[in-house]
Amino acid sequence: MIAYRDATPADAAALAAVFAESFTATFGHLYAAEDLAAFLGGCGEEAWAGELCDPGYRIRVAEEEERIVGFAKLGPPKLPVEPRGPSAELRQLYVLKPWQGAGVAAVLMDWAIATARDEGAQDLYLSVFIENERAKRFYARLGFERIGTYAFPVGNHVDEDDLMRLAL
């Protein structure tokens, strides 16, 4: 059974591991080993610990048998958008492969949307890899609209992401 809770600073190492595993499984084949290593190096336990202690971030985890199997991270907008008012950004939404298709992402997104709305955001922004059709369909079903593109660096490699916005 999957349980959901707010992340705590004690989750930093587990979140770093889940992120690295999920990102590598989904996108690792796109990058040279040194680019992937450089990118993941900036997303380690120390970075997570800082965000978990930062009141500007909200992180929700999905757990099964006390193992984190997915998470959603909200934070202040850093994407190159011109917010129309108070806004939030879905920084990351990752679910490990064995739990994909089990409704975990939907529950985490419901939380992200409700939390952004409860905190006064008018819009929720995110970026998604331009070739990640499954994720783009998921976000479109929730009402997100494409508003532009974003250069997403992974080491020395730069991907093109779609920028999306949901009016809350």
Side-chain angles (χ1 to χ4, degrees):
M1 183 172 146
I2 298 171
Y4 300 87
R5 64 173 176 80
D6 292 338
T8 70
D11 295 317
L15 284 164
V18 168
F19 174 72
E21 180 180 341
S22 185
F23 188 88
T24 302
T26 305
F27 304 112
H29 67 283
L30 298 171
Y31 310 112
E34 59 273 8
D35 288 330
L36 182 60
F39 175 74
L40 293 175
C43 303
E45 183 177 350
E46 186 176 316
W48 279 97
E51 290 174 344
L52 287 161
C53 292
D54 184 332
Y57 287 86
R58 302 282 181 270
I59 301 168
R60 188 85 169 163
V61 299
E63 286 183 317
E64 187 171 72
E65 297 178 9
E66 298 184 23
R67 177 186 180 197
I68 294 176
V69 299
F71 67 89
K73 182 195 311 182
L74 285 175
K78 286 193 175 177
L79 290 169
V81 297
E82 291 188 34
R84 302 182 298 184
S87 300
E89 182 180 314
L90 179 67
R91 294 289 179 84
Q92 294 169 334
L93 173 64
Y94 284 93
V95 177
L96 294 175
K97 283 214 184 272
W99 291 269
Q100 290 178 3
V104 174
V107 171
L108 291 170
M109 274 307 298
D110 287 347
W111 167 84
I113 292 168
T115 300
R117 188 177 286 131
D118 290 348
E119 292 182 357
Q122 269 181 244
D123 292 304
L124 179 59
Y125 294 92
L126 60 83
S127 73
V128 60
F129 181 51
I130 201 161
E131 294 178 20
N132 191 343
E133 295 300 329
R134 180 179 180 180
K136 291 191 320 185
R137 283 190 307 272
F138 174 72
Y139 295 130
R141 281 194 308 272
L142 294 169
F144 281 86
E145 297 177 325
R146 183 181 178 279
I147 59 169
T149 60
Y150 168 63
F152 183 83
V154 177
N156 291 314
H157 181 93
V158 178
D159 283 328
E160 185 175 359
D161 278 15
D162 280 335
L163 291 172
M164 300 184 85
R165 175 181 61 217
L166 174 67
L168 301 173

